[in-house]
Amino acid sequence: MIALLQRAIEARVDIDGRTVAAIGPGILALVGFHKDDAPEQTGRMAERILGYRLFADEEGKMNRSLVDTDGALLLVPQFTLAAETDRGMRASFSSAAPPETGRMLFEKLCAECRERHGSVKAGEFGAHMQVHLVNDGPVTFSLTL
């Protein structure tokens, strides 16, 4: 399981010209799943996404989490994060979770985050999305389980 966290001033997901999810200040998290990922891991990933310290404190150090700042979270499924890119010039997706597993894990991760935090939005699994982001910093971290 992988999550690419991007500190955002604002972010949104559009599908077919309509906005399906939008946030103000917070985190845009692109998430991907491997075929060996288990549903039990979603709770730990939710904890890490919501608790990861990427916002500045009073001294300008990244010591505050999304929960600390009461920011918003936008979760976007991104199959390509599970790609194997270590050889050649074309990605391999043999280690990625199959669509039905990926969908279940994404929905479970969304539910886990919503249980723990008030402002959680999500993109649509399997849809062709346009993701708009104003990255703050830029600040981007990759979390893996």
Side-chain angles (χ1 to χ4, degrees), residues 22-23 25 46 50 66-75 110-122:
I23 63 166
L50 297 171
L66 188 70
V67 172
D68 296 332
T69 62
D70 201 30
L73 174 62
L74 176 54
L75 293 165
C110 290
E112 293 273 359
C113 288
R114 287 181 174 123
E115 281 180 21
R116 301 163 191 238
H117 191 66
S119 181
V120 178
K121 306 287 177 104

Side-chain angles (χ1 to χ4, degrees), residues 1 5 8 13 28 36-37 41 43 48 82 94-96 112-113 133:
M1 192 173 303
L5 307 184
V13 174
L28 167 66
D36 296 332
D37 289 339
Q41 293 175 284
R48 293 196 72 206
S94 60
S95 66
E112 293 273 359
C113 288
L133 165 69

Side-chain angles (χ1 to χ4, degrees), residues 1-19:
M1 192 173 303
I2 184 168
L4 189 68
L5 307 184
Q6 298 178 86
R7 190 173 69 189
I9 293 172
E10 62 184 24
R12 76 175 194 272
V13 174
D14 294 344
I15 300 174
D16 294 329
R18 66 180 171 84
T19 299

Side-chain angles (χ1 to χ4, degrees), residues 6-9 54 62 134-140:
Q6 298 178 86
R7 190 173 69 189
I9 293 172
L54 58 141
M62 283 192 262
V134 178
N135 191 314
D136 184 19
V139 172
T140 304

Side-chain angles (χ1 to χ4, degrees), residues 43-97:
R44 177 66 177 136
M45 184 57 86
E47 179 181 38
R48 293 196 72 206
I49 291 169
L50 297 171
Y52 208 79
R53 296 181 294 176
L54 58 141
F55 297 94
D57 63 13
E58 300 77 25
E59 297 176 13
K61 295 182 180 177
M62 283 192 262
N63 277 328
R64 300 184 76 209
S65 70
L66 188 70
V67 172
D68 296 332
T69 62
D70 201 30
L73 174 62
L74 176 54
L75 293 165
V76 177
Q78 187 172 345
F79 172 76
T80 59
L81 284 176
E84 297 167 24
T85 59
D86 55 337
R87 291 189 291 182
M89 300 302 285
R90 183 169 183 234
S92 169
F93 297 99
S94 60
S95 66

